[in-house]
Amino acid sequence: MNEDKKKPSEEEADPTSSVSGDLGRLLEERERLDELLRNKYTKNITVMFTDMKGSTALAEEEGNLAARLLIEQHNKIIFPIIEQHHGRLVKTMGDGTLSYFEAPQDAVRCGVQIQKNVIEFNGTKHPKVPIQVRIGIHTGQGLVEKKDIYGDVVNVASRIETQGNPGEVYLSEDTYNAMADKEEIYCSFQKLSSLKGKKEPFRIFKAFWIPEEIAEDKKSPKAFTVEEKKKAASTSSILTESQMFKFQKSSQQVAEEVSTAGPSIVIEEADRGKRIVHLNQAETVIGRAPDCDVVLDESYISRHHAKITLESGKYYIEDLGSRIGTTLNGAQAARKELAFGDEISLGEIRITFVEPTGAGKGSAVQDGGEAAATMVMGMGTKKFKLVAYGPDKEFQEFTVTGEEKIIGRHEEAQIRLNDGLISRRHAKIWEENGHIYIEDMGSNNGTLVNGQILPKAQPVMLAEKALVTICSYRLALLNILDKPAPEMFVTPSSASLASKVKGLWDKGK
């Protein structure tokens, strides 16, 4: 009888063989579907983002209808140009647009034409609020569906758009390199920029169409191509050795001889002697453009050449994609931390970093409790910043100097707070004789300092770490080297606080 027993099949002998076979078939099917998706939906595209400035401010001042009409006119300008240049409009996002093109040349040409038409509209129609658009373009692989596009190419294009100013067309190096005819549109390398979510910095180019601006951009000794820029990065500068000026003293000696109360830089030029610039703000931009914090009037200096930033109590030098590069102690520096006596070279200009021992340090002066005005001793040697903390739980930092800064929701306010209950020119803050003052400018909903409401149009001295409440925002006066933390913005305990001001912290959450 044993010989009559049925021999088990392979699947019965090994139950996993069927599962293994099914998994293999599923993996093969998945691979086939992935290939189908790649071939049918993944394409090399050039993505363009546009963003209009001013519609939010117009809505606050004139109402939503006026803003809507401005956006409608903006769309009438942009939509046809995208179509004329073989682009596809994917979506609008408030006062911005997202579109894509198969040819990078079409995308850049489209961006330039949009700016030309915007300039013409503003010049002939004279709108109460002129249309101002900034544009960002990037080329790469994207997933293209019927009504939307996805992928890293979209994210990068969005980040590049935020790098520009109204009236500008910025594009990535990938787009620039992919342009079929670079002679048609003059594009120039502008800066090396770190984009959110990206490990490596991106080379940002700008498209030009106004002859005067093209001539200005070409004023430097040579307009570098991408390859030439990389080659230049391996040398200290484009100047010949005979042009280099030899300084009599080392940077270390210069730093030791300088007497300064706070972190500073000493700038030395061959024919202009020496000058000291105090680093009293979180970011100091150095370059040839008039809007730089430190202007260096030499043709080989880029318009925005480098910047010195203060981060978590440390200073850093960062090259902004300059044509000749920035060196720190003889070595090329994309971004490096600074130390006492460090030598920064921009061509034949030498900059020495000076940070006195204990600068910005020392015992913290606490706020004055319920007192709105507190005398603060020894503040004259310190630099301060006003840190705003709003409903979005993000910090905004503003350096306090001798120049008055307006706090409000007006577009031109130096400290702009986005809350409808805040007056357009709500308050102002400034430094005078080593002390910090704040003044309510007749606001509708008032200004509080450490829980006490301020009188109108009367300057009040602030103590270090004083807490200012303006509607849904809290603002703390901190030493410029201090790092803000949420616990610094805790509302003082006051049972009558709600009755003192209409705009409360929870408003707008």
Side-chain angles (χ1 to χ4, degrees):
M1 292 184 65
N2 291 339
E3 294 179 358
D4 295 334
K5 284 185 179 180
K6 187 177 180 181
K7 191 174 181 179
S9 66
E10 289 186 11
E11 290 186 0
E12 289 174 332
D14 183 5
T16 63
S17 62
S18 176
V19 176
S20 177
D22 289 341
L23 180 59
R25 286 190 293 272
L26 287 173
L27 290 174
E28 289 177 2
E29 181 65 15
R30 176 180 173 178
E31 186 176 347
R32 188 186 69 80
L33 290 173
D34 286 344
E35 184 68 22
L36 181 64
L37 287 171
R38 283 193 295 269
N39 294 336
K40 186 173 182 179
Y41 295 103
T42 302
K43 299 179 181 179
N44 199 57
I45 57 175
T46 298
V47 175
M48 182 178 78
F49 272 92
T50 72
D51 182 60
M52 182 174 68
K53 177 185 176 184
S55 63
T56 302
L58 182 64
E60 292 177 355
E61 295 179 14
E62 304 292 336
N64 292 329
L65 180 58
R68 186 67 188 89
L69 290 173
L70 184 68
I71 293 173
E72 186 65 27
Q73 187 57 61
H74 157 276
N75 292 346
K76 286 181 179 179
I77 294 173
I78 291 182
F79 288 5
I81 299 176
I82 293 174
E83 184 176 355
Q84 291 163 12
H85 290 82
H86 315 293
R88 175 172 292 183
L89 178 68
V90 178
K91 66 176 79 171
T92 60
M93 300 153 291
D95 53 8
T97 68
L98 167 62
S99 57
Y100 74 91
F101 304 76
E102 291 187 2
Q105 193 84 17
D106 286 338
V108 179
R109 192 184 293 125
C110 176
V112 169
Q113 192 60 51
I114 287 172
Q115 297 293 16
K116 287 181 177 179
N117 285 27
V118 166
I119 292 172
E120 182 182 1
F121 174 82
N122 291 333
T124 57
K125 302 298 183 181
H126 305 290
K128 185 174 181 180
V129 176
I131 294 176
Q132 293 180 295
V133 179
R134 63 185 184 188
I135 297 175
I137 302 171
H138 178 55
T139 301
Q141 290 283 313
L143 188 64
V144 180
E145 293 188 356
K146 188 174 183 180
K147 295 183 179 181
D148 212 342
I149 55 175
Y150 304 92
D152 191 54
V153 63
V154 179
N155 298 329
V156 173
S158 175
R159 302 281 188 262
I160 290 175
E161 175 260 303
T162 64
Q163 295 287 312
N165 296 311
E168 293 182 332
V169 177
Y170 270 18
L171 53 143
S172 68
E173 183 177 20
D174 290 330
T175 298
Y176 175 77
N177 289 338
M179 290 174 63
D181 184 4
K182 295 182 177 65
E183 298 298 322
E184 178 194 356
I185 303 170
Y186 176 77
C187 297
S188 172
F189 173 80
Q190 296 295 300
K191 59 183 178 180
L192 198 64
S193 184
S194 297
L195 303 184
K196 184 177 179 181
K198 292 293 178 183
K199 293 181 179 179
E200 297 297 326
F202 270 67
R203 294 178 181 272
I204 307 295
F205 287 70
K206 178 181 175 181
F208 291 82
W209 60 93
I210 300 174
E212 293 79 9
E213 292 187 0
I214 294 174
E216 173 67 20
D217 190 76
K218 289 182 176 180
K219 276 185 179 180
S220 52
K222 59 184 295 187
F224 279 67
T225 64
V226 178
E227 291 75 19
E228 289 169 331
K229 176 66 182 70
K230 291 176 179 177
K231 182 179 179 181
S234 65
T235 61
S236 60
S237 75
I238 61 172
L239 301 174
T240 64
E241 186 176 352
S242 62
Q243 290 176 297
M244 294 300 291
F245 180 79
K246 302 299 183 182
F247 295 96
Q248 294 181 346
K249 295 182 179 181
S250 68
S251 289
Q252 194 70 29
Q253 289 173 318
V254 171
E256 291 171 353
E257 292 176 358
V258 170
S259 177
T260 178
S264 308
I265 52 175
V266 181
I267 302 173
E268 297 174 277
E269 301 178 64
D271 56 347
R272 299 182 185 179
K274 181 170 60 178
R275 57 178 166 140
I276 299 175
V277 176
H278 299 288
L279 301 175
N280 57 4
Q281 54 193 36
E283 180 177 287
T284 301
V285 179
I286 304 169
R288 185 165 47 86
D291 61 346
C292 290
D293 302 300
V294 177
V295 178
L296 302 176
D297 189 19
E298 294 289 350
S299 61
Y300 56 81
I301 297 294
S302 296
R303 291 178 58 80
H304 298 90
H305 196 107
K307 67 179 179 180
I308 296 175
T309 55
L310 173 63
E311 301 174 21
S312 302
K314 297 179 180 179
Y315 283 90
Y316 295 84
I317 179 69
E318 180 178 345
D319 186 85
L320 297 178
S322 65
R323 288 181 172 84
I324 66 170
T326 301
T327 65
L328 179 65
N329 301 324
Q332 283 290 324
R335 187 176 188 274
K336 293 287 186 180
E337 182 181 345
L338 291 172
F340 178 85
D342 274 351
E343 178 180 294
I344 304 165
S345 297
L346 281 61
E348 63 178 358
I349 298 173
R350 183 172 77 173
I351 300 174
T352 300
F353 178 70
V354 183
E355 185 177 21
T357 304
K361 311 293 185 191
S363 58
V365 182
Q366 300 299 322
D367 66 80
E370 293 292 318
T374 305
M375 181 62 71
V376 185
M377 303 303 294
M379 289 180 69
T381 60
K382 295 183 178 182
K383 302 298 179 182
F384 289 88
K385 61 185 176 183
L386 190 68
V387 182
Y389 190 57
D392 58 3
K393 298 294 191 294
E394 292 186 358
F395 297 114
Q396 299 180 64
E397 298 189 4
F398 307 91
T399 305
V400 182
T401 65
E403 183 179 352
E404 290 183 351
K405 282 185 169 62
I406 303 300
I407 306 171
R409 61 180 176 85
H410 192 276
E411 188 175 12
E412 296 181 358
Q414 291 87 350
I415 302 177
R416 190 179 181 194
L417 306 178
N418 188 21
D419 183 337
L421 292 176
I422 295 175
S423 298
R424 294 174 65 205
R425 295 169 63 87
H426 196 104
K428 61 183 178 181
I429 188 169
W430 70 98
E431 181 271 337
E432 185 177 332
N433 297 325
H435 299 294
I436 310 299
Y437 294 87
I438 191 169
E439 179 182 327
D440 186 280
M441 301 177 69
S443 66
N444 293 327
N445 292 322
T447 303
L448 280 76
V449 175
N450 299 328
Q452 299 294 307
I453 194 161
L454 296 185
K456 308 288 186 185
Q458 181 176 327
V460 171
M461 188 186 300
L462 289 179
E464 185 175 348
K465 298 189 179 179
L467 185 64
V468 179
T469 302
I470 298 180
C471 298
S472 63
Y473 280 82
R474 296 168 187 168
L475 306 97
L477 182 68
L478 302 178
N479 186 300
I480 199 167
L481 298 179
D482 287 345
K483 187 175 182 179
E487 55 267 21
M488 297 177 179
F489 299 84
V490 177
T491 307
S493 57
S494 175
S496 59
L497 181 59
S499 64
K500 292 177 181 177
V501 65
K502 297 176 184 177
L504 298 179
W505 174 250
D506 290 332
K507 190 76 176 180
K509 279 189 178 180

